[in-house]
């Protein structure tokens, strides 16, 4: 959906694909990092004595808010560097793709029984 909208907005296709790929990578990394941080702060003494708990949290799906935080930071810096003058158009089309992705993510959570 984002690629279709980027064509309509006449954005560079290669930069848009790079933006999406690196955005997905940063989002996944953000969910994992936030999961480790949240696990540590729930019980810091136990996490230090038993670091396997922190490693186990890396194998989990992650925390949604960490992914959103990482993607927003990534998108801010990437668009300022590669989409000069059209940052807001990129953000507008990214929100549509993000909303669709969120729908499928919530359906997956519902199917897994965690939400």
């Amino acid at each position: 959906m984002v690629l279709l909208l980027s064509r309509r907005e006449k954005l560079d296709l290669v930069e848009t694909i790079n933006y999406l790929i690196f955005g997905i990578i940063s989002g996944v990394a953000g969910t994992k990092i936030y999961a480790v941080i949240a696990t540590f702060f729930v019980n810091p003494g136990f996490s230090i004595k038993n670091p396997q708990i922190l490693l186990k949290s890396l194998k989990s799906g992650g925390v949604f808010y960490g992914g959103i935080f990482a993607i927003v930071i990534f998108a801010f810096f990437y668009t300022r560097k590669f989409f000069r003058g059209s940052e807001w158009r990129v953000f507008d089309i990214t929100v549509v793709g993000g909303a669709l992705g969120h729908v499928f993510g919530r359906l997956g959570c519902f199917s897994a029984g965690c939400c």
Side-chain angles (χ1 to χ4, degrees):
M1 186 65 171
V2 173
L3 290 176
L4 291 174
L5 292 173
S6 69
R7 278 192 186 172
R8 191 171 75 181
E9 294 290 326
K10 295 179 177 61
L11 296 171
D12 184 20
L13 185 64
V14 174
E15 287 302 328
T16 305
I17 291 171
N18 288 339
Y19 172 73
L20 292 174
I21 291 171
F22 291 133
I24 290 169
I25 291 169
S26 69
V28 170
T31 61
K32 303 293 184 180
I33 291 168
Y34 195 86
V36 170
I37 292 170
T39 303
F40 178 76
F41 282 114
V42 167
N43 194 348
F46 185 70
S47 298
I48 292 173
K49 291 178 187 173
N50 191 359
Q52 295 297 327
I53 299 294
L54 297 176
L55 293 175
K56 186 178 177 184
S57 67
L58 278 175
K59 294 179 183 177
S60 71
V63 178
F64 174 75
Y65 303 111
I68 293 296
F69 184 69
I71 289 172
V72 167
I73 290 172
F74 163 77
F76 176 75
F77 288 110
Y78 193 88
T79 56
R80 288 191 67 194
K81 175 80 174 167
F82 295 104
F83 290 104
R84 292 215 179 247
S86 57
E87 293 99 337
W88 291 109
R89 291 188 307 164
V90 174
F91 291 150
D92 286 342
I93 64 173
T94 303
V95 167
V96 174
L100 287 173
H102 187 71
V103 166
F104 290 112
R106 288 291 128 186
L107 286 174
C109 282
F110 180 71
S111 298
C114 62
C115 293

